[in-house]
Amino acid sequence: MPFIIFIDFDYFYAQVEEIMNPAIKDKPVVVCVYSGRTENSGAVATSNYLARSIGIKSGMPLPQAMKIGKDRAVFIPIRKDFYKEFSDRVMNTISTYSDKIEIASIDEAYIDVTEECSTFQKAVELGKEIKEAIFREHGMKASLGISINKVIAKILGDMAKPDGIKYIDEFQVDGFLNNLEVKKIPGVGTVLSTKLKDAGIVYIKDILNRDPRAMIDILGNAKYTYLVEIAENRYNKPVEERIRKNFGRYITLPENTRDKFIIMPIVRKAVDSAYGKAPGIPGEISAIGIMEDLDIVSRSITGGRINKNSAYEIAESLMEKILDSDQRKLRRIGIRIGKITSNESLDDFFGT
């Protein structure tokens, strides 16, 4: 019987901002995507629970959110590169507990701990240990769900928010499914759940008592099969590592500095590491600078097949541009490569 742990970083973007600036953690925090059309045009990317409690939600137009949060909320521009780098660190911690990890998004992951745990209770104990490690090492609160498959684990993780943990073993699953509303199942959105409700389907078990042809008309073959497998407790899609589109390496400098004689050799080391992970030759390369105040500045170039020898020069040039455009000292540097195509020969890879 598989033991699956689902991990969800609570209100991730906003929580990262709270971690980096503890002075705002007791305030409504709103992470914003500015459109650039006007000073305040854009939308809310996410918000912490305090902001949600006063009515500021994801997707809300910024002018409306600012009206609600006037003199109360903290509005922060989104910093995607920084959140990705923070997520990578937390995911690295999680990956030390199992080789079978599926990173579902920047703030969600599944791990299969069947080989690590001889009983379900040991899986629960391990889940608690992982949750504590995430908070201890990164200050990040997470919600966990633990069960026998990915779907039930995710539903439990959603139910455990915020900062909780819920679990159901194999002996409790049937009872759980008997009372599970179909709208809580991953992949069943608002529109589809409304159609199912109109057809008399409120609980997942209801689907087993309906004409399959009628259900397929509403759901389509794939989703009908998916829901029937869940209802009959036959769903068993394994935890699978996602195919990575980007490969990179971040390295902390010995000290905060702008000294190129210190920085550039580490840039080359990061290039070596990134190319060592990639299964082919990239068509895109980015240099990332994490500044002394933890802000992130990046520069990228796209085009052609960039062999490793060329990448050294390109990466150094991109880092030069970061240093020329910003007077702050660097704390960490990163190199990320993407748009990978397969190697044709070692000469292609190394540029010889």
Side-chain angles (χ1 to χ4, degrees):
M1 182 67 66
F3 304 140
I4 308 299
I5 302 176
F6 171 73
I7 304 164
D8 186 343
F9 312 150
D10 296 334
Y11 63 100
F12 179 58
Y13 293 176
Q15 190 182 176
V16 171
E17 296 294 349
E18 290 178 356
I19 292 167
M20 303 316 301
N21 182 7
I24 66 173
K25 72 176 182 177
D26 294 324
K27 298 178 181 180
V29 177
V30 185
V31 177
C32 312
V33 179
Y34 289 92
S35 69
R37 292 178 180 174
T38 65
E39 183 180 358
N40 294 326
S41 64
V44 174
T46 190
S47 59
N48 66 2
Y49 287 106
L50 281 174
R52 295 176 197 183
S53 71
I54 63 173
I56 299 176
K57 312 288 185 182
S58 297
M60 178 179 285
L62 270 183
Q64 182 182 353
M66 289 177 170
K67 185 176 181 180
I68 295 171
K70 185 179 181 182
D71 300 326
R72 292 187 288 176
V74 178
F75 292 87
I76 301 172
I78 194 168
R79 301 193 287 171
K80 287 186 177 180
D81 281 338
F82 184 65
Y83 305 145
K84 176 64 170 62
E85 196 264 345
F86 197 105
S87 172
D88 287 346
R89 282 184 271 154
V90 183
M91 294 298 182
N92 284 340
T93 295
I94 295 170
S95 68
T96 63
Y97 291 89
S98 174
D99 291 332
K100 295 180 180 178
I101 177 171
E102 178 178 324
I103 298 174
S105 67
I106 196 171
D107 59 356
E108 294 182 342
Y110 300 89
I111 59 170
D112 184 332
V113 295
T114 310
E115 294 181 4
E116 288 74 19
C117 302
S118 57
T119 67
F120 186 79
Q121 185 55 41
K122 290 186 182 296
V124 172
E125 292 170 2
L126 184 60
K128 292 177 180 178
E129 183 181 333
I130 293 169
K131 180 174 166 55
E132 290 169 2
I134 291 170
F135 184 74
R136 182 179 63 253
E137 296 180 20
H138 306 285
M140 174 67 56
K141 295 178 181 179
S143 298
L144 275 66
I146 308 171
S147 195
I148 63 171
N149 66 46
K150 292 196 299 185
V151 167
I152 297 176
K154 177 167 172 52
I155 294 168
L156 292 171
D158 290 342
M159 293 170 63
K161 291 181 180 181
D163 194 27
I165 181 169
K166 288 187 177 292
Y167 44 88
I168 288 176
D169 65 22
E170 64 266 36
F171 304 109
Q172 300 169 304
V173 167
D174 284 338
F176 178 74
L177 292 174
N178 284 337
N179 299 294
L180 178 62
E181 293 180 285
V182 72
K183 67 181 180 181
K184 293 184 178 179
I185 294 173
V188 178
T190 304
V191 173
L192 186 54
S193 64
T194 300
K195 288 182 179 179
L196 289 169
K197 186 176 181 180
D198 291 343
I201 307 296
V202 176
Y203 298 95
I204 184 61
K205 289 287 189 177
D206 294 339
I207 202 169
L208 300 177
N209 301 319
R210 298 295 189 276
D211 177 16
R213 289 171 296 182
M215 290 294 93
I216 290 170
D217 285 343
I218 296 172
L219 296 164
N221 278 299
K223 189 146 287 185
Y224 173 71
T225 301
Y226 165 69
L227 292 178
V228 167
E229 287 179 349
I230 294 169
E232 294 180 342
N233 193 18
R234 294 189 293 109
Y235 181 86
N236 60 0
K237 186 175 181 182
V239 169
E240 296 177 333
E241 183 177 359
R242 294 291 178 89
I243 297 173
R244 296 171 62 183
K245 296 181 179 179
N246 297 293
F247 299 83
R249 174 75 189 278
Y250 291 84
I251 301 175
T252 300
L253 299 171
E255 60 186 23
N256 294 352
T257 184
R258 292 179 52 80
D259 188 338
K260 295 177 184 178
F261 290 102
I262 295 174
I263 294 169
M264 294 310 172
I266 296 176
V267 168
R268 284 180 164 254
K269 183 178 178 181
V271 169
D272 286 337
S273 181
Y275 271 74
K277 298 174 184 178
I281 302 175
E284 180 180 65
I285 184 167
S286 301
I288 301 100
I290 295 91
M291 316 308 285
E292 56 191 330
D293 58 359
L294 299 179
D295 191 17
I296 290 183
V297 180
S298 63
R299 295 290 184 273
S300 301
I301 189 169
T302 302
R305 288 161 57 85
I306 305 170
N307 63 54
K308 188 176 174 183
N309 284 339
S310 297
Y312 291 134
E313 183 178 344
I314 292 170
E316 289 180 349
S317 175
L318 293 172
M319 193 60 67
E320 288 261 15
K321 290 179 180 179
I322 291 173
L323 290 167
D324 289 345
S325 66
D326 196 299
Q327 297 306 306
R328 291 172 292 182
K329 293 180 180 179
L330 285 169
R331 177 187 178 90
R332 303 184 78 210
I333 64 95
I335 297 297
R336 187 171 64 235
I337 57 178
K339 298 187 177 179
I340 308 295
T341 56
S342 61
N343 295 331
E344 293 179 358
S345 69
L346 289 177
D347 288 348
D348 287 334
F349 187 73
F350 290 105
T352 57

